[in-house]
């Protein structure tokens, strides 16, 4: 990355020189430079002198330099919902500081993008999205490396792409030649190679009956991170002087897409759905780090909400921006070196992984610091009073772990609740109905709590009165999972139930091996929580441990899998199987800000081998279902584990073109299937946490709430004597509407993002608590509304409001 940064900094300098040198050329030949990632711009501006900055600002305003609104080339399938809204943070800063427009975004190399990308981009001011995927030429069976059916489906087929709510849309246009079709061309060599190459593309467009009179073609010479070609303007000038058609224009997405839209926009098709991406599976080569980065993303949003609740004046936007930047950069698509598989131990490879991993480590450290800063002035380790903060917009109930010893806790009304000591020395209790965007205080007491417990445990079974489970004594898979209606939601795959372990030694999933025998033990048993451990040897690992965790009163069972991985460099993968006992069920996945029905909401060209569940997947029929909640591992495989055998020309895997309805899904946890970039092996301990929640008729709001509480549990700390916490900021009158984030703004205002997870339009209004605002204003710039105004959100709609002080 440091070497790449040097190249990009020099390229901006060279581009400015070229812009000045060609300012008197015909407009079509005047040099243009498209900067695909604002990461490079931020670093360039930090080291530029005032004269350079002035020239840069003028070039952007003149349209000679085009800025992508995205900070980097992100792999969207890995991003958590709120994380996606930070793709354009730096673009917002540039707009504010310099008055730039920045209406377009571009992503290079990465094939496919999740549906919520549309929502996030549109909310970030993006109208136009230029995709330049990996491209290796017409002789490649898929046109690009591990791009599946994306390039053939979407290349040179511009469309309006609509968000899940239908309220937003962007003009989406994938370059048929990707970003790399000029690779191997030296600067200036276009004079020798250009005419033949251009003619061949025109013939191809004609043969494909391309219906438009303009087409985008990325021009990137030499290789990735190539230099400025100082000959290109002269080539275009001479070409246009010589030929009447085709006319070549050095252009930017801003101008090209605007001109294209003006001419063809009224006739463009509109599509709505997920273009399920292909490259995110490589993150399974560093599963522990990817899992931690996802946890960091969720925690950082939660800490921002907590600042709004407890200390909005202490919120530091720059510190949060820096933490979000590190989280994004870990999800940026360059994971490692080109020779990371063939030469995994050379310094060039190991150093690049250190740099990549550091983004995650820095984001983790920054999130911890921000949380610690918030607690300053509130927390005292010696206190017996425990503050529990609910960062969600509805009253919530859940477990709280503390370091303070006692026999019970007492709530504000004097109710005595059990406090259970755990093996690691911590204590746990259940906090009940903590107010929305508010807190509750519990006092640790030595008074014994009522002795009644709802748990029933057998040799291979456990129940808390709501959830009942039975597990296989040999392999530890869950063979029975039921809620109050008694229906068994556990299906079967190869004679195993839910949470079965599968290790594939090689590339053929038919060869998958499982854990031969696990030993059962009871780790925790008390009035608050019971934890069952199933531990032993497993193929590909030193040890495997499956924990079944059930809390008193909980409506979901928690699973925590721990793998102590062996370092293996031959091809391999690790999966956990979840066959659900709903034979005719429909599968719905968390799409971020919206939901995606498997098959029905996937657009052509989507990855049918691996999907992305963000925080949950649900399988339901008309009357009942089960929600499978995810934390560290978003990658999900429908029906079968991925087949990586090289059956296409003996050098490429065959990507599925179609999927089939299924109630059997797999968590795709680890692999080393790539031949480049990603790590060759991984070893050591990593943890994967899931939850299973049986339910009746599926409800979008209940799915969202359950997953939010699971992935973002209560914050808690011992409360300093004399400190009074603020009351609940507000709630929403309609429980189907959720406030997903609340962020302090300059001048004492707050930005609130509302989401309607239901399919139909919903209305709500704010019910104010400790906040008593003068009014609310939609972020899009409409007139201020009264504080009690009714708000309407379409199904899957996302609206942002400023709460005025």
């Amino acid at each position: 990355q440091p070497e790449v940064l040097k190249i990009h900094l020099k390229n901006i300098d060279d581009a400015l020189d070229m812009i000045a040198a060609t300012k008197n050329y015909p407009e079509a030949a005047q040099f243009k430079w498209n900067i695909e990632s604002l990461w490079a711009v931020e670093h360039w501006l930090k080291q530029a002198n005032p004269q350079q900055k002035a020239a840069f600002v003028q070039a952007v305003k003149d349209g000679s330099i085009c800025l992508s609104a995205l900070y980097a080339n992100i792999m969207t399938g890995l991003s958590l919902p709120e994380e996606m809204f930070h793709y354009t943070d730096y673009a917002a800063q540039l707009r504010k500081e310099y008055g730039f427009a920045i209406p377009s975004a571009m992503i290079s190399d990465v094939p496919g993008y999740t549906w919520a990308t549309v929502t996030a981009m549109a909310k970030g001011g993006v109208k136009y999205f230029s995709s330049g995927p990996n491209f290796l030429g017409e002789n490649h069976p898929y046109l690009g490396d591990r791009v599946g059916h994306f390039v053939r489906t979407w290349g040179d087929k511009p469309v309006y792409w609509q968000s899940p709510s239908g309220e937003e849309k962007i003009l989406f246009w994938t370059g048929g030649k990707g970003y790399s079709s000029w690779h191997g061309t030296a600067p200036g060599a276009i004079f020798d190679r250009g005419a033949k190459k251009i003619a061949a593309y025109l013939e191809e467009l004609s043969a494909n009956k391309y219906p438009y009179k303009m087409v985008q073609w990325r021009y990137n010479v030499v290789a990735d991170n190539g230099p400025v070609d100082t000959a290109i303007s002269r080539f275009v000038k001479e070409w246009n002087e010589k030929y009447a058609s085709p006319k070549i224009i050095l252009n930017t997405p801003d101008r090209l897409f605007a001109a294209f839209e003006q001419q063809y926009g009224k006739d463009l098709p509109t599509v709505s759905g997920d273009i399920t991406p292909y490259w995110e599976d490589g993150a399974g080569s560093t599963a522990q780090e990817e899992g931690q980065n996802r946890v960091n993303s969720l925690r950082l949003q939660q800490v921002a909400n907590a600042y709004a609740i407890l200390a909005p004046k202490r919120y530091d936007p720059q510190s949060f921006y820096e933490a979000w930047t590190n989280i994004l950069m870990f999800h940026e698509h360059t994971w490692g070196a080109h020779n990371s598989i063939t030469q995994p131990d050379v310094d060039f490879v190991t150093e690049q992984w250190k740099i990549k991993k550091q983004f995650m480590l820095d984001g983790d450290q920054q999130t911890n610091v921000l949380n610690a800063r918030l607690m300053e002035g509130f927390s005292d380790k010696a206190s017996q009073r425990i503050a529990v903060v609910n960062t969600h917009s509805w009253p919530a109930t859940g477990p709280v772990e503390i370091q303070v010893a006692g026999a019970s806790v007492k709530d504000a009304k004097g109710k005595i609740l059990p406090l259970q000591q755990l093996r690691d020395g911590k204590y746990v209790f259940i906090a009940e109905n903590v107010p929305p965007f508010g807190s509750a205080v519990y006092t640790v007491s030595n008074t014994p709590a009522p002795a009644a417990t709802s748990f029933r445990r057998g040799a291979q079974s456990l129940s808390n009165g709501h959830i009942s489970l039975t597990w296989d004594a040999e392999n530890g898979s869950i063979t029975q999972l039921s809620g109050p209606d008694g229906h068994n939601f556990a299906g079967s795959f190869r004679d195993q139930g839910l949470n079965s372990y599968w290790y594939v030694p090689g590339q053929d999933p038919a060869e998958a091996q499982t854990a031969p025998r696990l030993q059962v033990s009871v780790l925790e048993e008390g009035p608050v929580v019971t934890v069952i451990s199933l531990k032993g040897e497993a193929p590909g690992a030193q040890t495997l441990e499956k924990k079944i965790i059930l809390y008193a009163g909980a409506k979901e069972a928690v699973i925590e899998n721990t793998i102590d991985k062996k370092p293996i460099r031959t091809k391999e993968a690790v999966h956990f199987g979840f066959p659900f006992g709903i034979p005719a069920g429909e599968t719905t996945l968390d799409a971020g800000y919206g939901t995606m029905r498997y098959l029905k909401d996937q657009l052509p060209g989507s990855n049918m081998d691996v999907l992305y569940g963000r925080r949950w997947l649900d399988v339901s029929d008309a009357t009942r279902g089960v929600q499978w909640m995810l934390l560290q591992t978003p990658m999900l495989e429908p029906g079968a584990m991925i087949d990586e055998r090289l059956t296409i020309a003996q050098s490429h895997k065959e990507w599925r073109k179609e999927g089939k309805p299924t109630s059997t899904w797999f968590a795709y946890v680890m692999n080393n299937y790539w031949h480049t970039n990603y790590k060759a092996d991984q070893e050591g301990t990593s943890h994967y946490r899931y939850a299973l929640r049986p339910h009746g008729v599926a409800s979008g709001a209940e799915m969202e709430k359950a997953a939010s509480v699971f992935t973002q549990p209560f914050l808690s700390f011992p409360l300093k004597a004399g400190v009074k916490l603020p009351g609940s900021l507000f709630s929403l009158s309609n429980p189907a509407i959720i406030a997903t984030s609340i962020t302090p703004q300059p001048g004492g205002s707050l930005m609130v993002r509302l989401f309607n997870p239901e399919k139909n339009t919903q209305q709500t209004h704010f019910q104010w608590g400790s906040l008593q605002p003068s009014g609310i204003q939609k972020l899009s710039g409409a007139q201020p509304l009264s504080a009690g105004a009714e708000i309407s959100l379409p199904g899957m709609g996302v609206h942002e409001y400023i709460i005025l002080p």
Side-chain angles (χ1 to χ4, degrees):
Q1 286 89 341
E3 291 302 315
V4 169
L5 180 58
K6 290 178 184 178
I7 292 169
H8 283 283
L9 298 184
K10 183 179 186 303
N11 283 347
I12 294 175
D13 291 336
D14 292 345
L16 289 171
D17 290 341
M18 276 294 294
I19 290 165
T22 61
K23 64 181 180 180
N24 294 323
Y25 275 40
E27 185 176 353
Q30 290 174 6
F31 188 79
K32 305 291 189 298
W33 188 245
N34 295 290
I35 303 177
E36 67 184 29
S37 299
L38 292 182
W39 166 76
V41 173
E42 183 174 32
H43 285 274
W44 187 87
L45 287 172
K46 286 178 179 179
Q47 53 84 58
N49 62 43
Q51 292 77 19
Q52 290 173 315
K53 284 185 181 180
F56 179 86
V57 170
Q58 193 61 50
V60 173
K61 291 185 174 181
D62 289 344
S64 300
I65 286 180
C66 183
L67 306 180
S68 168
L70 303 183
Y71 192 76
N73 291 308
I74 307 292
M75 292 197 293
T76 58
L78 300 179
S79 294
L80 275 301
E82 186 68 16
E83 182 182 328
M84 301 186 77
F85 283 84
H86 294 278
Y87 288 177
T88 55
D89 280 355
Y90 190 60
Q93 291 184 33
L94 292 175
R95 290 187 187 108
K96 183 176 181 180
E97 185 170 356
Y98 298 108
F100 296 156
I102 320 183
S104 65
M106 65 194 314
I107 290 183
S108 295
D109 221 1
V110 182
Y113 319 100
T114 54
W115 198 0
T117 305
V118 179
T119 308
M121 283 190 178
K123 296 295 184 184
V126 174
K127 296 172 60 180
Y128 309 128
F129 178 20
S130 170
S131 165
N134 184 274
F135 182 78
L136 292 179
E138 294 296 331
N139 293 327
H140 190 286
Y142 293 108
L143 302 182
D145 193 7
R146 293 186 70 88
V147 303
H149 303 287
F150 176 78
V151 181
R152 288 198 184 278
T153 303
W154 292 100
D156 294 331
K157 295 181 179 68
V159 295
Y160 283 118
W161 189 9
Q162 202 169 56
S163 68
S165 71
E167 281 200 310
E168 299 87 18
K169 68 177 182 180
I170 56 178
L171 175 50
F172 172 66
W173 191 353
T174 297
K177 298 300 180 185
Y179 79 101
S180 53
S181 66
W182 290 94
H183 281 187
T185 303
I190 191 170
F191 280 97
D192 300 320
R193 301 180 60 189
K196 185 176 180 180
K197 197 173 183 71
I198 292 167
Y201 188 22
L202 289 172
E203 289 177 2
E204 180 185 326
L205 291 169
S206 179
N208 292 335
K209 294 182 172 55
Y210 181 73
Y212 309 112
K213 292 184 179 180
M214 56 184 81
V215 68
Q216 68 161 321
W217 197 355
R218 301 280 189 95
Y219 185 70
N220 177 40
V221 297
V222 182
D224 287 357
N225 308 300
V228 167
D229 185 351
T230 57
I232 187 62
S233 286
R234 183 164 57 89
F235 174 81
V236 171
K237 177 177 179 293
E238 293 179 7
W239 175 282
N240 289 336
E241 290 171 348
K242 185 175 181 179
Y243 301 111
S245 179
K247 184 178 182 180
I248 300 176
I249 300 173
L250 293 182
N251 218 332
T252 66
D254 291 4
R255 292 186 176 185
L256 171 61
F257 280 53
F260 182 87
E261 184 174 43
Q262 184 176 9
Q263 186 166 350
Y264 298 108
K266 65 181 183 301
D267 300 319
L268 278 184
T270 297
V271 299
S272 184
D274 199 69
I275 311 177
T276 314
Y278 287 86
W279 278 12
E280 281 78 347
D281 66 306
S285 68
T286 52
Q288 191 278 329
E289 290 82 2
E290 169 55 28
Q292 185 59 52
N293 200 57
R294 286 174 53 80
V295 171
N296 294 344
S297 179
L298 290 157
R299 289 179 59 236
L300 186 58
Q301 177 200 349
Q302 189 174 24
V303 171
N305 286 8
Y307 268 89
I309 297 166
L310 298 176
K313 293 182 180 179
R314 287 163 50 192
Y315 180 84
D316 178 13
Q318 183 61 28
S319 294
F320 274 88
Y321 169 77
E322 291 169 2
W324 278 119
T325 297
N326 280 310
I327 289 168
L328 292 181
M329 288 301 288
F330 190 79
H331 283 157
E332 199 275 338
H333 83 297
T334 49
W335 227 255
H338 69 89
N339 55 339
S340 58
I341 304 299
T342 56
Q343 297 175 296
D345 297 316
V346 301
D347 290 345
F348 179 74
V349 171
T350 58
E351 184 61 25
Q352 289 201 52
W353 168 238
K354 286 180 184 177
I355 293 168
K356 182 68 174 182
K357 183 178 178 179
Q358 196 62 43
F359 289 125
M360 181 278 290
L361 294 174
D362 288 347
D364 184 54
Q365 190 264 345
Q366 289 164 330
T367 302
N368 290 335
V369 168
L370 285 165
N371 186 63
R373 287 178 187 167
L374 176 61
M375 298 306 151
E376 292 174 2
F378 290 106
S379 180
D380 177 5
K381 291 182 179 179
S383 176
Q384 297 290 302
R385 299 167 67 229
I386 306 300
V388 178
V389 180
N390 176 13
T391 56
H392 306 295
S393 64
W394 60 92
T397 296
V400 177
E401 289 190 2
I402 63 175
Q403 304 274 3
V404 183
S408 64
V409 295
K410 182 169 62 175
D411 68 13
K413 295 181 180 179
K415 182 179 179 180
I416 302 294
L417 301 171
L419 182 66
Q420 178 181 337
Q421 185 174 13
L422 304 175
R423 285 194 176 193
D424 62 4
K426 295 179 181 178
Y427 291 76
V428 63
F429 68 95
I430 303 296
E432 301 176 343
N433 292 313
V434 181
F437 288 142
S439 59
V441 178
Y442 296 80
T443 303
V444 177
S445 166
N446 289 321
T447 303
T453 178
S454 60
F455 290 108
R456 298 191 306 275
R457 182 175 64 82
Q460 295 170 228
S461 64
L462 180 64
S463 173
N464 68 353
H466 292 282
I467 300 288
S468 298
L469 305 103
T470 301
W471 57 87
D472 186 288
E474 293 283 325
N475 55 55
S477 69
I478 296 169
T479 55
Q480 187 248 334
L481 169 73
S482 60
D485 71 353
H487 177 83
N488 184 10
F489 288 98
S492 178
F493 173 80
R494 296 193 192 177
D495 299 322
Q496 293 201 43
L498 300 169
N499 197 38
S500 53
Y501 175 84
W502 300 101
Y503 174 76
V504 178
Q507 296 167 307
D508 184 357
E511 303 297 322
Q513 304 169 1
T514 193
R517 183 173 179 82
L518 303 177
Q519 300 298 315
V520 181
S521 63
V522 180
L523 298 184
E524 312 286 355
E525 188 167 27
V528 178
V529 64
T530 296
V531 180
I532 306 297
S533 168
L534 302 110
K535 188 174 182 179
E537 296 180 355
Q542 305 288 355
T543 57
L544 166 70
E545 182 177 25
K546 301 177 180 180
K547 291 180 183 176
I548 299 172
I549 304 168
L550 199 56
Y551 290 97
K555 297 180 180 180
E556 64 281 320
V558 176
I559 294 166
E560 184 174 295
N561 296 330
T562 300
I563 301 172
D564 186 359
K565 185 73 180 62
K566 294 178 180 177
I568 296 172
R569 288 181 174 171
T570 54
K571 298 303 180 186
E572 61 166 358
V574 172
H575 316 253
F576 290 111
F578 284 80
F580 295 107
I582 311 175
E586 180 177 82
T587 299
T588 304
L589 296 91
D590 175 14
Y593 278 88
T595 56
M596 186 195 80
R597 296 167 299 173
Y598 171 55
L599 300 178
K600 292 181 180 179
D601 291 326
Q602 285 184 280
L603 289 169
S606 284
N607 186 349
M608 306 307 296
D609 290 62
V610 181
L611 285 76
Y612 307 93
R614 291 304 203 281
R615 297 160 301 155
W616 57 267
L617 174 149
D618 180 80
V619 181
S620 293
D621 59 24
T623 60
R624 61 169 66 94
V626 58
Q627 181 184 14
W628 175 25
M629 289 176 260
L630 318 165
L631 185 54
Q632 292 91 348
T633 54
M635 297 188 294
L636 304 172
E637 302 155 299
M641 292 170 274
I642 194 168
D643 188 339
E644 285 282 346
R645 290 176 294 170
L646 305 180
T647 58
I648 305 296
Q650 297 183 327
S651 57
H652 305 282
K653 81 176 289 306
E654 181 176 3
W655 295 94
R656 300 184 211 169
K657 279 190 174 181
E658 297 177 346
K660 297 179 180 179
T662 182
S663 296
T664 296
W665 288 80
F666 296 85
Y668 191 12
V669 179
M670 292 181 177
N671 72 76
N672 61 358
Y673 285 146
W674 276 64
H675 58 88
T676 183
N677 290 12
Y678 294 100
K679 282 195 86 226
D681 65 73
Q682 53 191 313
E683 66 175 318
T685 302
S686 54
H687 306 273
Y688 308 98
R689 199 168 172 88
Y690 306 101
L692 297 168
R693 183 181 72 91
H695 60 77
V697 177
S699 160
E702 291 306 313
M703 301 281 186
E704 185 72 18
K705 290 178 180 180
S708 296
V709 171
F710 172 67
T711 58
Q712 295 171 309
F714 292 137
L715 300 178
S716 64
F717 54 89
L719 183 63
K720 184 180 292 187
V723 172
K724 184 177 180 180
L725 298 178
S728 171
L729 296 183
F730 64 82
S731 61
L732 296 167
S733 62
N734 183 349
I737 301 293
I738 289 169
T740 55
S741 68
I742 178 166
T743 308
Q745 304 291 303
S749 62
L750 297 170
M751 194 281 285
V752 176
R753 185 170 290 119
L754 300 183
F755 173 48
N756 174 14
E758 298 292 349
K759 296 178 182 178
N760 57 333
T761 298
Q762 301 281 333
Q763 286 78 34
T764 192
H765 63 265
F766 289 97
Q767 295 176 320
W768 302 108
S770 61
L771 270 183
Q772 293 294 319
S774 62
I776 60 176
Q777 184 169 15
K778 203 170 181 182
L779 198 60
S780 57
Q783 291 296 315
L785 304 172
S786 69
E790 185 173 82
I791 296 167
S792 180
L793 279 81
M796 309 300 164
V798 180
H799 288 182
E800 296 160 324
Y801 290 89
I802 298 295
I803 310 301
L804 303 171

